């Protein structure tokens, strides 16, 4: 005899959503259509909406519920009194015998399927209505875990019905304009996965912050998944590269971030409870690489089936170590946002008194209260949403820079830490003001404008800011290849929607400085470190790694791969490390492996370090990281670039070191570029072109060394100019000589981002690509389209 009030999951499809709700419809859809893809979904059944309405009628509840709701709407009874009264009425109700029989028979059949007399199940509510098929009511209704026995099943089903009238559910429907008496509850009864003995979490099939669709994000914690869903713990976070997850020859993991996982939820005789995780659990990943990739493949298959980004819950069974998908629904946050085809321009129609000026970073304008933080010791005082005013910044300041509405510094130029990080974070900044920390008062209301050219202005008071949206899809098409410069892997996904063809400069320095933090030689020769405090700091950062060098390799590989993934399959040019000795000195352990130089800018930097015994072991770690990113993770769009290569002999030595570390130019489609930033690179361009696949012009260093000017000198800043004829003649010669040897030439220096005339000069001389700061892309494309037409 056919059931009237329940449907087994394998009888359900997405078309049944009005009668079984979104959760149950999705489970049925997966069981029916994805089972042959080897996706594990625990079996179960659903009480339909018909069961709910029959229960209401059988217990004569409809008029009573309507009366109580009307009193609440007429403000004759409070929310708390109304909700409590309705729930009490429902909880007194009994199932009609025919529904009770169908539930019990189905539960016994499910127990038989799993060879257990009283199988443990999860019981979940799902709101539904014939005329509201898309209303998920996520998080509004109750779920019950690890329920056993037919009497307990019947009791919890009634509790699910009652949860339709929790205070939060009533408010939700009021805010959404839903009729309380038009909503039914479907109840899903599903075999319980014993994740209390293993782990559970959530999967999104896109980057939840930026909407970047080529990644899969997985969060994981020990115990039941409720702590992850509710956000009550810091879970592990894994990111995989979606286009490669089905390639079993690769391990396309872009990030493995260990969460604190302070507690885990387990079962107790009274339901569920949280207990503290062990130290071993807090310092261990919940999932293995193999499990991360299994879940990623399943997530991609589910997304492909539904043809939309998905929000998925997974669980791991402790006794069997099997993974399961326990819920899947369309992702809503990014889906509801306008597609990122717009950029903004800003204008201040009525300026006030200018307090101070400096170099504008980005093109935004913001207003708010200034907060002066002069010392790193005081950063905990910073209030999110304020405008940070400080002397200068370093990697230690990044946490509050992320929270700042704007940034103003006394010191620094366009290539300073504050400038580069602000661009990455898309935060308006003005640097090099000299005395902002004394001219601006703490708590003063100000307007920061980077929308008026290269000079940034700080105005007194909060001013009106006009914002104009620019549609990327309406931008003109240009012949010149535009790329972008990226330093931080954290910022890479933010710019995925820009109309560019790759990354012309990915800097390793920021990754090493901000994420790794340790001098590579201190990891290779950890046993030789004399300072006990340094050894302790390194041990804390590298916990979980027996081989401390692997910490460097893994962290760098994941970060580089994440950057490369943002533009795959377009070229991503990764510049090997170009720290100066004073910068290496400041890394943890750096004081034991570096020496003092009078002029680090012209000293032991770039290529000269790679084959020198003082650093060659550190460079080998960089090589291992690039090899892992390209060949194991699978981002073979990565191109290596060698900085500050002074001589042809030095080029040969570096290429040999690369080859010795399984990075031979030409093998596995590997290309190796060289920075063109020293006059010798220009003079011998035709010879360098036979050793490398291409050049990338570093306009800052090339200008510095051509004109003999320290680029950080404030006294000489007025004559530091990339538009100088000597610099432009050098660049024109480089392009001509390189092209004669079929080598490509791009530029990754600051000049074309700041000076449109310089970009015009590059195009006129046939440059192959221009790599810009992300915030300059729209402006330069519009400008170059006019030049190309002429």
């Amino acid at each position: 005899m056919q059931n009237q009030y329940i449907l087994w999951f394998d009888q359900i499809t997405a078309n049944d959503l009005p009668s079984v709700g979104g959760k149950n419809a999705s489970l049925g859809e997966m069981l029916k259509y994805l089972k042959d893809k080897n996706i594990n979904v625990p079996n179960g059944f659903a009480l339909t909406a018909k069961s709910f309405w029959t229960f209401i009628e059988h217990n004569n509840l409809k008029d009573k519920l309507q009366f109580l709701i009307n009193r609440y709407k007429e403000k004759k009874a409070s929310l708390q009194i109304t909700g409590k009264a309705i729930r009490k009425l429902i909880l007194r109700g009994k199932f009609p015998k025919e529904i009770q029989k169908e539930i019990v028979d189905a539960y016994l059949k499910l127990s038989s399927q799993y060879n257990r007399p009283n199988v443990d199940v999860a019981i979940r509510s799902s709101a539904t209505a014939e005329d509201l098929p898309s209303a998920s009511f996520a998080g509004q209704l109750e779920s019950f875990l690890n329920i056993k026995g037919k009497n307990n099943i019947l009791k919890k089903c009634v509790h699910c019905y009652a949860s339709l009238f929790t205070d939060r559910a009533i408010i939700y429907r009021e805010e959404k304009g839903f009729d309380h008496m038009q909503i039914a509850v479907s109840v899903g009864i599903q075999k319980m996965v014993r994740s209390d003995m293993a782990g559970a979490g959530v999967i999104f099939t896109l980057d939840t912050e930026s909407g970047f669709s080529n990644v899969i994000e997985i969060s994981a914690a020990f115990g039941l998944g409720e702590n992850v869903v509710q956000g009550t713990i810091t879970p592990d976070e894994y990111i995989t590269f979606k286009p490669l997850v089905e390639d079993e020859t690769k391990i396309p993991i872009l990030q493995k971030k260990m969460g604190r996982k302070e507690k885990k939820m387990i079962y107790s005789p009274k339901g569920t409870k949280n207990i503290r995780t062990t130290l071993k659990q807090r310092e261990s990943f919940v999932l293995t690489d193999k499990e991360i990739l299994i879940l990623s493949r399943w997530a991609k298959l589910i997304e492909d089936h539904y043809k939309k980004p998905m929000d998925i819950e997974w669980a791991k069974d402790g006794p069997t170590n099997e993974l399961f998908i326990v819920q899947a629904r369309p992702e809503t946050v990014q889906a509801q946002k306008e597609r990122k085809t717009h950029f903004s321009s800003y204008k201040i129609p009525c300026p006030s008194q200018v307090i101070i000026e400096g170099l504008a970073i980005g093109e935004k304008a913001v207003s708010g209260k200034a907060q002066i933080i002069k010392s790193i010791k005081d950063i905990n005082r910073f209030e999110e949403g304020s405008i940070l005013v400080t002397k200068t910044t370093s990697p230690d300041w990044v946490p509050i820079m992320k929270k700042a509405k704007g940034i103003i510094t006394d010191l620094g130029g366009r290539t300073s830490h504050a400038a580069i990080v602000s661009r990455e974070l898309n935060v308006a900044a003005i640097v090099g003001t000299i005395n902002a920390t004394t001219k601006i008062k703490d708590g003063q209301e100000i307007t920061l404008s980077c929308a008026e050219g290269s000079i940034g202005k700080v105005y007194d008071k909060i001013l009106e800011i006009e914002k104009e949206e620019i549609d990327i899809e309406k931008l003109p098409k240009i012949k010149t290849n535009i790329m972008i410069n990226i330093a931080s892997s954290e910022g890479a996904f933010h710019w995925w929607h820009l109309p560019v063809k790759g990354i012309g400069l990915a800097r390793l320095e920021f990754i090493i400085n901000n994420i790794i933090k340790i001098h590579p030689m201190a990891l290779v020769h950890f046993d030789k470190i004399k300072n006990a405090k340094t050894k302790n700091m390194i041990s804390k950062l590298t916990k979980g790694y027996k081989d401390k060098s692997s910490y460097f390799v893994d962290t760098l590989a994941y970060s580089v791969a994440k950057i490369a993934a943002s533009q795959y399959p377009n070229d991503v040019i990764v510049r090997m490390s170009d720290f100066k000795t004073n910068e290496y000195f400041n890394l943890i352990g750096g004081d034991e492996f570096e020496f003092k130089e009078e002029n680090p800018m012209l000293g032991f930097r770039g290529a000269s370090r790679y084959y020198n015994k003082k650093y060659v072991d550190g460079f080998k770690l960089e090589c291992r990281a690039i090899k892992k990113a390209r060949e194991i993770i699978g981002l073979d769009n990565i191109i290596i670039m060698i900085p500050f290569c002074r001589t042809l002999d030095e080029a040969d030595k570096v290429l040999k070191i690369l080859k010795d570390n399984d990075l031979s130019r030409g093998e596995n489609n590997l290309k190796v570029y060289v920075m063109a930033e020293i006059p010798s690179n220009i003079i011998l361009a035709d010879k360098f072109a036979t050793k490398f696949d291409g050049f990338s012009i570093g306009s800052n260093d090339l200008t510095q060394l051509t004109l003999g000017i320290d680029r950080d000198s404030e006294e000489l800043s007025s004559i530091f100019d990339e538009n100088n004829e000597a610099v432009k003649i050098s660049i024109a010669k480089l392009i001509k000589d390189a092209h004669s040897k079929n080598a490509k030439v791009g530029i990754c220096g600051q000049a074309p981002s700041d000076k449109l005339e310089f970009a015009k000069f590059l195009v006129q001389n046939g440059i192959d690509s221009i790599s810009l700061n992300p915030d300059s892309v729209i402006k330069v494309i519009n400008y170059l389209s006019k030049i190309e037409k002429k």
Side-chain angles (χ1 to χ4, degrees):
M1 184 177 172
Q2 189 174 4
N3 292 315
Q4 294 186 53
Y5 300 102
I6 72 161
L7 287 171
W8 285 89
F9 286 159
D10 60 7
Q11 297 175 303
I12 297 170
T13 70
N15 296 328
D16 295 303
L17 189 147
S19 64
V20 298
K23 294 176 185 176
N24 295 328
S26 180
L27 288 167
E29 183 83 3
M30 288 190 293
L31 263 171
K32 196 174 186 74
Y33 296 111
L34 296 176
K35 196 172 184 179
D36 62 344
K37 304 283 188 183
N38 297 317
I39 296 176
N40 293 336
V41 179
N43 198 13
F45 57 94
L47 277 68
T48 64
K50 181 180 178 181
S51 171
F52 174 80
W53 292 122
T54 303
F55 174 89
I56 295 295
E57 290 170 12
H58 178 75
N59 292 283
N60 299 312
L61 293 175
K62 190 171 183 180
D63 291 341
K64 296 173 185 176
L65 299 186
Q66 188 67 68
F67 172 77
L68 291 169
I69 288 167
N70 289 342
R71 282 181 58 81
Y72 168 66
K73 284 181 165 292
E74 293 165 5
K75 298 184 178 179
K76 294 179 180 178
S78 69
L79 171 67
Q80 291 78 12
I81 289 173
T82 302
K84 186 176 181 180
I86 292 175
R87 293 192 298 275
K88 190 174 181 180
L89 283 172
I90 293 173
L91 290 172
R92 284 177 179 171
K94 302 290 183 185
F95 278 112
K97 288 182 179 178
E98 59 271 24
I99 297 180
Q100 183 172 316
K101 184 177 186 309
E102 286 193 17
I103 295 171
V104 171
D105 286 350
Y107 175 65
L108 294 175
K109 183 179 178 181
L110 187 65
S111 297
S112 175
Q113 287 178 2
Y114 287 96
N115 296 315
R116 294 180 188 177
N118 284 297
V119 71
D120 49 340
V121 295
I123 300 178
R124 292 187 170 92
S125 314
S126 187
T128 182
E130 292 291 340
D131 58 337
L132 293 170
S134 62
S136 67
F137 298 85
Q140 303 302 315
L141 311 186
E142 297 291 349
S143 294
F144 303 95
L145 305 177
N146 199 36
I147 307 302
K148 299 178 183 178
K150 59 186 181 181
N151 291 332
N152 287 329
I153 302 295
L154 292 168
K155 185 187 297 183
K156 294 305 179 185
C157 286
V158 176
H159 275 81
C160 285
Y161 287 169
S163 74
L164 185 61
F165 291 94
T166 58
D167 294 353
R168 63 179 181 267
I170 294 171
I171 291 171
Y172 178 87
R173 290 193 295 275
E174 286 288 308
E175 290 176 347
K176 300 293 182 183
F178 295 149
D179 186 335
H180 296 282
M181 295 306 295
Q182 293 298 313
I183 309 296
V185 178
S186 170
V187 180
I189 298 172
Q190 183 182 34
K191 169 67 180 76
M192 190 71 213
V193 178
R194 293 302 304 267
S195 57
D196 60 307
M197 300 166 67
V202 176
I203 308 171
F204 285 94
T205 61
L206 46 56
D207 177 54
T208 51
E209 297 299 322
S210 68
F212 180 53
S213 61
N214 265 0
V215 292
I216 292 167
E217 291 185 348
I218 303 173
S219 55
F222 290 109
L224 302 172
E226 266 60 24
N227 282 332
V228 177
V229 175
Q230 295 166 12
T232 57
I233 53 113
T234 305
D236 289 350
E237 293 178 358
Y238 315 112
I239 298 177
T240 59
F241 187 51
K242 195 188 299 177
L244 296 180
V245 294
E246 292 177 295
D247 183 348
E248 295 189 5
T249 67
K250 307 297 180 189
I251 306 176
I253 297 172
L254 304 179
Q255 176 179 298
K256 287 174 65 178
K257 187 176 181 181
M258 190 178 291
R260 293 195 298 273
K261 305 181 293 288
E262 306 92 332
K263 56 188 177 181
K264 67 174 181 177
M265 186 177 286
I266 62 168
Y267 299 129
S268 72
K270 295 182 179 179
T272 60
K273 67 174 183 179
N274 273 309
I275 61 171
R276 186 170 173 79
T277 47
T278 65
L279 178 63
K280 183 179 179 181
Q281 287 174 324
R282 291 195 294 277
E283 295 185 353
S284 301
F285 286 114
V286 176
L287 294 172
T288 64
D289 287 1
K290 182 180 179 180
E291 290 169 333
I292 292 167
L293 294 176
I294 288 171
L295 289 175
S296 297
R297 290 177 191 127
W298 288 356
K300 184 179 185 300
L301 289 168
I302 293 168
E303 181 184 62
D304 289 345
H305 176 76
Y306 281 95
K307 297 181 172 58
K308 61 183 70 174
M310 298 296 289
D311 171 358
I312 301 164
E313 291 181 27
W314 65 271
K316 182 179 178 181
D317 187 65
T320 65
N321 282 327
E322 286 184 285
L323 294 168
F324 291 87
I325 299 298
V326 294
Q327 197 175 132
R329 52 185 168 261
E331 189 276 339
T332 55
V333 177
Q334 287 293 335
Q336 290 175 1
K337 288 182 179 180
E338 182 179 0
R339 199 157 55 90
K340 288 200 171 186
T341 61
H342 291 76
F343 260 70
S344 307
S345 66
Y346 298 80
K347 183 180 178 183
I348 297 175
C350 301
S352 65
Q353 177 187 350
V354 176
I355 303 172
I356 203 162
E357 294 182 347
L359 299 174
I361 306 300
E363 298 176 334
K364 295 175 71 174
V366 296
S367 58
K369 284 189 177 181
Q371 190 170 4
I372 298 172
I373 307 284
K374 293 185 179 180
S375 170
I376 189 69
K377 297 176 183 177
D378 300 323
I379 64 171
N380 290 331
R381 288 199 301 108
F382 186 75
E383 297 174 9
E384 187 166 354
S386 300
I387 295 175
L388 172 65
V389 183
T390 186
K391 292 181 179 179
T392 187
T393 66
S394 69
D396 292 330
W397 289 74
V398 172
I400 65 167
M401 294 173 77
K402 291 178 180 178
K403 298 177 182 179
K405 200 172 185 181
I407 298 167
I408 304 169
T409 68
D410 288 346
L411 308 173
R414 294 193 185 280
T415 57
S416 66
H417 178 271
I420 294 172
V421 171
S422 297
R423 293 189 195 100
E424 293 289 331
L425 298 175
N426 196 26
V427 174
I430 298 176
V431 302
T433 60
I434 301 175
N435 52 4
T437 51
T438 55
K439 285 285 188 76
I440 299 171
K441 297 176 183 176
D442 193 47
Q444 183 176 358
E445 292 185 334
I446 60 173
T447 298
L448 183 161
S449 173
C450 296
E452 302 167 60
S454 60
I455 301 300
K457 298 178 181 179
V458 180
Y459 295 103
D460 188 26
K461 298 185 172 60
I462 291 177
L463 304 177
E464 178 190 357
I465 299 171
E466 292 180 355
K467 182 179 176 183
E468 179 188 2
E469 296 290 340
I470 300 166
D471 190 341
I472 291 174
E473 291 186 343
K474 294 179 181 177
L475 283 174
K477 305 295 181 186
I478 62 173
K479 296 176 184 176
T480 307
N481 283 341
I482 299 297
M483 305 173 85
I484 53 172
N485 300 331
I486 290 285
S488 164
S489 56
E490 289 184 3
F493 294 166
H494 179 77
W495 304 107
W496 67 272
H497 53 280
L498 283 175
V500 297
K501 295 182 179 178
I503 294 172
L505 175 62
R507 304 177 180 93
L508 293 195
E509 295 82 46
F510 267 63
I511 298 168
I512 296 170
N513 221 337
N514 296 342
I515 304 173
I516 296 173
K517 300 180 181 179
I518 304 167
H519 195 292
M521 295 294 283
L523 292 166
V524 176
H525 301 292
F526 179 73
D527 294 339
K528 294 183 180 179
I529 295 174
K530 299 171 185 175
N531 189 305
K533 185 178 178 181
T534 299
K535 292 192 85 166
N536 186 47
M537 290 170 70
I538 293 173
S539 295
K540 283 184 177 179
L541 283 169
T542 59
K543 65 182 178 183
Y545 282 94
K546 290 181 181 178
D547 173 17
K548 300 194 181 302
S549 295
S550 295
Y551 162 77
F552 183 97
V553 173
D554 285 354
T555 308
L556 187 58
Y558 290 139
S559 297
V560 168
K562 197 172 178 183
I563 291 171
S566 71
Q567 289 293 325
Y568 186 87
N570 292 321
D571 290 346
V572 171
I573 302 172
V574 176
R575 186 179 72 188
M576 306 304 272
S577 65
D578 190 26
F579 281 124
K580 290 80 177 172
T581 48
N582 57 323
E583 294 167 330
Y584 267 119
F585 187 90
N586 291 326
L587 293 171
I588 297 170
D591 57 336
E592 299 197 31
F593 295 93
E594 296 296 329
F595 57 95
K596 299 279 186 180
E597 287 189 291
E598 289 299 320
N599 190 349
M601 187 74 79
L602 296 180
F604 189 43
R605 61 176 286 199
S608 62
R609 297 184 72 98
Y610 302 162
Y611 55 88
N612 190 295
K613 64 180 182 180
K614 290 184 177 179
Y615 187 74
V616 66
D617 288 340
F619 184 64
K620 287 177 182 178
L621 299 188
E622 295 182 33
C623 293
R624 282 171 55 191
I626 297 298
K627 182 176 174 62
K628 179 172 182 174
R630 290 190 87 253
E631 298 177 25
I632 297 175
I633 298 175
L635 278 301
D636 56 5
N637 58 328
I638 293 170
I639 293 173
I640 291 174
M641 182 157 66
I642 304 302
F644 227 77
C645 186
R646 294 170 168 99
T647 69
L648 297 170
D649 180 56
E650 192 163 63
D652 290 334
K653 290 179 179 178
V654 172
L655 290 169
K656 184 179 184 304
I657 292 288
L658 289 174
K659 185 176 181 179
D660 290 345
N661 286 273
D662 297 323
L663 290 172
S664 297
R665 179 187 167 207
E667 288 187 12
N668 298 312
N669 298 313
L670 175 63
K671 294 178 182 176
V672 183
Y673 282 21
V674 65
M675 290 284 288
E677 53 192 340
I678 305 170
S680 60
N681 302 143
I682 310 301
I683 296 166
L684 300 175
D686 58 339
K687 292 184 173 63
F688 274 102
T690 65
K691 299 179 183 296
F692 295 98
D693 297 288
F695 297 83
S696 186
I697 300 164
S699 56
N700 288 331
D701 271 330
L702 184 60
T703 303
Q704 172 177 247
L705 296 173
T706 301
L707 300 181
I709 296 172
D710 179 351
R711 72 189 204 190
D712 291 336
S713 170
E714 292 184 16
E715 291 296 324
L716 300 175
S717 61
S718 61
I719 56 173
F720 184 91
D721 186 5
E722 299 92 335
N723 274 311
N724 183 280
E725 188 177 5
V727 179
K728 291 169 81 171
I729 287 173
S730 293
I731 290 173
K733 178 186 183 303
L734 172 71
I735 296 171
K736 181 181 177 182
D737 291 353
H739 284 174
S740 73
K741 300 292 184 180
N742 296 315
K744 290 188 174 183
V745 181
I747 185 168
C748 59
Q750 188 70 31
S753 291
D754 293 338
K755 299 171 182 177
L756 294 176
E757 282 294 316
F758 193 79
K760 175 183 176 181
F761 154 75
L762 294 169
V763 171
Q764 288 173 335
N765 279 273
I767 194 110
D768 293 296
S769 65
I770 298 176
S771 193
L772 304 164
N773 297 324
D775 54 18
S776 302
V777 167
I778 304 301
K779 173 181 69 178
V780 174
I781 287 177
N782 278 321
Y783 177 78
L784 290 182
S785 71
K786 298 172 185 175
I787 301 302
E788 288 184 355
K789 285 177 184 177
K790 293 179 182 179

